Amino acid sequence: MHTDKKHIAEFTLIYNQFKKRIYNYVHKMTLNKEVSADITQNAFMKLYEKYHLINDKDSVAAYLFRTARNDVFKYYRNRKVVNSVTIPIQEDYAIKDDFDIREKIELDEIHDLVMKILNEIPSEQKETYILREFGGLNYCEIAVLTDVEEKTVKSRLFETRRKLINKLKKII
Amino acid sequence: MEDKIFEFMNRYFDDDLNREEEIYLFSRLSSNDQARDDFKAMNLLRESAKSSMEDFTLELNNKAYTPKEQKEKKQLTFTFHVPTVIGYAFSIILLIISLLTYNQSLEYKKDIKMKVQQINYQNKLLELMFNSFPQTEIRTTYSKDTIIKPKS
């Protein structure tokens, strides 16, 4: 394991930059906080072990997402719940002065609906949408990660959004 | 046309539009109610995605830094998984059956060995008995003489 101080500092920066994105991507894919935390930890552990071998530091995001993605698939294989619908229990809302609780509830309801629809559409479309919206990856990065062309990524993303919007327009 | 606006809308939300395309999109939006509704819905979608993004809390940070070995120790609990249990039970039954069969075959082997020994012994006994008989002598005797006479 590499313990060079410079690398540790770089790794800490990367950890702070990507932890939220990786965690949210995994969480939306698995809908399980415990598993998401484990997979996120595992992705960073693997990166830490292999960090000194990665020459192109721009590919760190791809490495992290690829590791997390493999673990998500492993989780699906073991649990065999690829298309099940699990809506997480609503958490308590923290009330702040500048916080519109009604808006928050509305957005959460929309999010629950989105997650429900995402579980009904093909898994490639669901994953592409989650990688874009929660993982924060651009078209090119998603294309590399999922091993498809950029235009396929765009069409999957647009198709998913169209489905979501059509359902959403009925309730708003 | 609708599809083109929708594509531009998507690309706008993905920060993929250039200045001219943005101007074109907003000019189309101002004159198209349907597209404007889509844009609002898309905006809501984006807002809900943003609001559902969970922070990586201190608790999760601590969890991430917990050594893996400790977690693995915690996870060493028995989980009742029906197909696995059936599999184990079946393999144990198979093991018992194969042990019994092997034991039985060993007994058969012993029996056959004994029988072969008995046969060999009896064979030798028979040979001995045959050898113990007195020797026989074969002699020929004329029982009827044949007289050949010439014709007269």
Side-chain angles (χ1 to χ4, degrees):
Chain A
M1 201 177 284
H2 208 88
T3 50
D4 184 47
K5 274 182 183 173
K6 187 185 160 225
H7 280 183
I8 291 173
E10 279 175 8
F11 179 80
T12 310
L13 282 175
I14 290 165
Y15 176 76
N16 287 326
Q17 189 186 345
F18 289 106
K19 62 183 179 184
K20 191 176 169 183
R21 285 165 61 185
I22 297 282
Y23 175 75
N24 275 285
Y25 157 64
V26 178
H27 185 224
K28 302 302 171 194
M29 289 294 286
T30 60
L31 297 176
N32 184 325
K33 284 189 177 184
E34 193 86 9
V35 171
S36 308
D38 283 349
I39 291 178
T40 309
Q41 181 204 15
N42 194 38
F44 281 105
M45 288 262 289
K46 280 185 181 163
L47 175 71
Y48 187 74
E49 281 163 12
K50 300 266 165 69
Y51 190 70
H52 61 288
L53 299 173
I54 300 172
N55 296 322
D56 180 14
K57 301 300 177 200
D58 290 335
S59 64
V60 162
Y63 181 86
L64 279 170
F65 273 97
R66 193 174 290 278
T67 313
R69 187 171 182 253
N70 288 342
D71 283 352
V72 167
F73 287 161
K74 213 184 283 172
Y75 168 75
Y76 276 148
R77 272 200 300 276
N78 293 339
R79 302 274 300 180
K80 296 189 178 85
V81 287
V82 182
N83 281 320
S84 78
V85 181
T86 319
I87 304 297
I89 299 161
Q90 289 291 342
E91 287 161 16
D92 294 337
Y93 296 103
I95 300 168
K96 294 175 193 167
D97 293 341
D98 58 342
F99 183 84
D100 186 353
I101 198 161
R102 197 183 296 165
E103 193 188 331
K104 171 73 179 156
I105 292 170
E106 208 176 276
L107 287 174
D108 281 350
E109 276 174 2
I110 291 169
H111 175 67
D112 287 350
L113 180 77
V114 167
M115 292 314 290
K116 194 171 176 290
I117 299 165
L118 286 180
N119 276 302
E120 288 164 1
I121 61 172
S123 55
E124 310 86 42
Q125 289 184 359
K126 173 187 169 182
E127 194 194 17
T128 308
Y129 181 79
I130 290 174
L131 282 170
R132 173 70 203 113
E133 294 296 336
F134 303 102
L137 299 185
N138 60 32
Y139 300 142
C140 179
E141 287 168 329
I142 297 172
V144 171
L145 186 68
T146 54
D147 233 5
V148 292
E149 284 182 41
E150 215 173 297
K151 63 178 181 188
T152 313
V153 172
K154 281 183 189 174
S155 88
R156 281 178 184 174
L157 201 55
F158 300 170
E159 190 60 34
T160 309
R161 280 180 178 150
R162 193 183 285 283
K163 284 176 188 166
L164 290 171
I165 283 172
N166 287 340
K167 295 252 179 170
L168 211 60
K169 271 160 63 180
K170 287 177 190 165
I171 60 158
I172 55 170
Chain B
M1 185 57 78
E2 290 285 321
D3 280 346
K4 197 180 177 189
I5 299 174
F6 189 73
E7 191 202 321
F8 271 47
M9 237 186 283
N10 273 282
R11 287 179 52 210
Y12 170 77
F13 280 99
D14 293 332
D15 299 324
D16 196 46
L17 276 191
N18 58 40
R19 192 85 189 127
E20 289 84 50
E21 286 171 329
E22 247 182 71
I23 293 166
Y24 172 78
L25 172 68
F26 284 104
S27 71
R28 299 300 307 167
L29 283 178
S30 62
S31 60
N32 189 332
D33 290 343
Q34 171 74 25
R36 219 166 29 243
D37 285 347
D38 283 354
F39 190 84
K40 275 182 197 164
M42 192 98 95
N43 199 33
L44 206 58
L45 210 60
R46 175 54 60 89
E47 284 300 313
S48 85
K50 264 188 196 168
S51 99
S52 75
M53 284 282 273
E54 286 189 34
D55 278 329
F56 205 76
T57 56
L58 197 66
E59 190 192 333
L60 286 170
N61 256 334
N62 290 338
K63 204 171 179 183
Y65 283 121
T66 310
K68 230 179 176 183
E69 294 77 24
Q70 273 185 30
K71 284 190 181 177
E72 275 163 8
K73 268 184 199 167
K74 271 190 212 167
Q75 285 166 0
L76 277 177
T77 50
F78 179 76
T79 47
F80 190 79
H81 196 233
V82 178
T84 318
V85 172
I86 291 171
Y88 278 129
F90 187 67
S91 55
I92 288 168
I93 291 167
L94 272 181
L95 191 72
I96 291 168
I97 290 172
S98 57
L99 274 174
L100 285 173
T101 317
Y102 179 68
N103 206 24
Q104 198 75 27
S105 73
L106 276 181
E107 277 181 22
Y108 281 136
K109 202 176 167 184
K110 215 186 280 178
D111 275 358
I112 289 169
K113 211 172 178 181
M114 248 167 67
K115 299 276 187 225
V116 168
Q117 271 181 349
Q118 275 180 355
I119 290 168
N120 282 342
Y121 175 74
Q122 283 171 349
N123 202 21
K124 274 183 187 169
L125 205 70
L126 277 172
E127 269 181 34
L128 214 68
M129 279 167 71
F130 273 123
N131 287 338
S132 66
F133 286 145
Q135 278 190 339
T136 52
E137 196 178 326
I138 299 164
R139 286 179 186 170
T140 53
T141 50
Y142 292 111
S143 60
K144 199 178 173 183
D145 288 340
T146 314
I147 301 165
I148 301 165
K149 285 178 181 176
K151 277 184 182 175
S152 58

